[in-house]
């Protein structure tokens, strides 16, 4: 299991797709080091006002109510 504790972009870098790309890269890193899932507890919202939990669920993460999990 790959536990993602914190991910953040500078204000100027938000809203340009960099966060989505960063999640893709983290998924690849987790696979390379032998993990079969990523877990995190999302909080806050995206620059567009979407809850981070919803943002990740739209991208295939599964919510257990508190954490979200990306299983490969």
């Amino acid at each position: 299991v790959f536990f993602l504790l914190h991910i953040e972009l500078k204000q100027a870098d938000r809203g340009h797709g960099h966060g989505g790309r960063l999640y893709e890269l983290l998924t690849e890193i987790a696979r390379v080091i032998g993990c079969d899932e990523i877990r995190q507890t999302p909080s806050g919202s995206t620059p567009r006002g979407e809850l981070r939990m919803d943002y990740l669920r739209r991208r295939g993460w599964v919510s257990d109510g508190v954490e979200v999990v990306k299983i490969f």
Side-chain angles (χ1 to χ4, degrees):
V1 177
F2 184 103
F3 288 98
L4 182 58
L5 298 179
H6 186 81
I7 186 170
E8 184 174 352
L9 294 171
K10 293 179 185 177
Q11 190 68 33
D13 294 329
R14 296 178 186 170
H16 303 288
H18 301 311
R21 182 67 184 126
L22 185 54
Y23 277 110
E24 291 172 12
L25 291 170
L26 289 169
T27 299
E28 288 305 311
I29 291 168
R31 283 184 179 137
V32 166
I33 64 173
C35 296
D36 59 358
E37 67 181 52
I38 301 174
R39 290 186 166 269
Q40 71 169 311
T41 304
S43 63
S45 55
T46 69
R48 295 185 175 102
E50 181 178 18
L51 292 177
R52 223 165 286 291
M53 177 77 76
D54 295 337
Y55 171 85
L56 292 168
R57 284 193 296 208
R58 273 194 309 106
R59 284 162 175 76
W61 295 63
V62 177
S63 172
D64 70 2
V66 176
E67 287 187 332
V68 288
V69 181
K70 175 82 172 211
I71 301 171
F72 351 112

